[in-house]
Amino acid sequence: MSLFEDVHIQTTSMRDVIYELLREKIINGQLKPGEKITESKLSEQLEVSRTPLREALLRLETQGLVERLPNGRLQVADIHTNDLEDYYAVREVIEGLVAREAAKKANELQIEKLHEILKNLEDAVNRAKGALIVEYSQLFHHKITEIAANKKCVQILKEIEVIVKRQGHYSLNLEGRAPVSLEEHKEIYHWISRKNPEKAEEAMRRHIVNVCAALLEKIKHLSNLNTSVQKK
């Protein structure tokens, strides 16, 4: 089955189409961390020549989504704990500031829209709709960033967006994490709607710290499982 089956190909270069497709599959977990990438196999699946495929993979490699092994082969990049902590340390500070600014600047219409997104997120959590949970969670954060209207924060968050999105799929799919995350989002909304910058920042930073901790725990658990299997 071709990987292009459910992809609408717009007028763009084949290299860009391949890049966007593989990027999305890495972000949403369809291509898993550590999964080996074989150019010949992918070329057959996508029904494309090696040249645009190689260019797309190189672009993914520069973004840290694909990594090259010592033997020269490629694989989907693992989520390394050191990188994870670095990204989330930045995200904690920046999104905390964004929440603070949003609490200062939000008007009634913006607060109403944020509440609408939150209700959609709650509905998705109650119905255990994984893809929608991720979508509305990210939309909630994007809306707060939009309200804050801080261009420098937007620029920094844009640089780490791909990594954060990828990890977000894993964190919200951790057992029991989605309901907890929902309550954290409700607290963030509460303080923004009450125009309390300090509490909004505290709630956001606490949320980001908890996401990172949950991911680190999951990675540690998987590492222990892999070690146990290798010893057998």
Side-chain angles (χ1 to χ4, degrees), residues 4-109:
F4 278 119
E5 183 180 41
D6 58 353
V7 176
H8 174 63
I9 303 177
Q10 300 176 345
T11 307
T12 185
S13 74
M14 184 58 67
R15 174 196 60 202
D16 292 336
V17 172
I18 298 168
Y19 163 77
E20 291 293 344
L21 175 65
L22 295 178
R23 175 182 176 273
E24 183 60 28
K25 288 186 178 294
I26 291 172
I27 288 173
N28 66 27
Q30 287 179 270
L31 290 175
K32 303 186 184 306
E35 187 171 334
K36 299 298 182 289
I37 296 174
T38 307
E39 283 189 15
S40 58
K41 183 178 178 181
L42 269 181
S43 180
E44 289 179 9
Q45 288 179 322
L46 301 178
E47 299 177 358
V48 297
S49 65
R50 295 283 190 90
T51 299
L53 174 59
R54 193 170 292 121
E55 291 173 349
L57 289 172
L58 180 60
R59 187 175 173 189
L60 291 166
E61 187 179 356
T62 61
Q63 291 188 335
L65 293 175
V66 168
E67 58 189 5
R68 193 171 298 276
L69 302 173
N71 61 12
R73 295 182 179 178
L74 294 173
Q75 69 175 25
V76 177
D78 282 318
I79 299 177
H80 301 290
T81 55
N82 289 341
D83 291 341
L84 185 72
E85 290 175 308
D86 288 346
Y87 281 120
Y88 273 86
V90 172
R91 190 182 173 196
E92 178 195 343
V93 173
I94 299 302
E95 290 213 44
L97 175 59
V98 164
R100 171 184 283 270
E101 292 295 310
K104 291 178 183 177
K105 299 175 181 179
N107 58 42
E108 291 306 314
L109 186 60

Side-chain angles (χ1 to χ4, degrees), residues 122-185:
E122 183 172 25
D123 180 64
V125 171
N126 290 338
R127 294 191 294 134
K129 297 292 185 179
L132 286 177
I133 293 171
V134 173
E135 178 182 341
Y136 286 120
S137 177
Q138 292 174 351
L139 190 58
F140 183 84
H141 285 267
H142 287 165
K143 186 61 182 178
I144 293 173
T145 303
E146 178 187 309
I147 295 169
N150 185 314
K151 292 182 179 178
K152 290 299 181 183
C153 287
V154 171
Q155 182 180 351
I156 295 170
L157 289 173
K158 190 72 176 176
E159 290 178 5
I160 64 173
E161 183 179 33
V162 172
I163 302 300
V164 168
K165 276 185 175 181
R166 183 188 182 200
Q167 294 161 348
H169 278 270
Y170 288 97
S171 67
L172 288 169
N173 285 314
L174 297 178
E175 186 176 355
R177 177 61 198 159
V180 174
S181 180
L182 173 62
E183 293 306 312
E184 291 168 358
H185 283 85

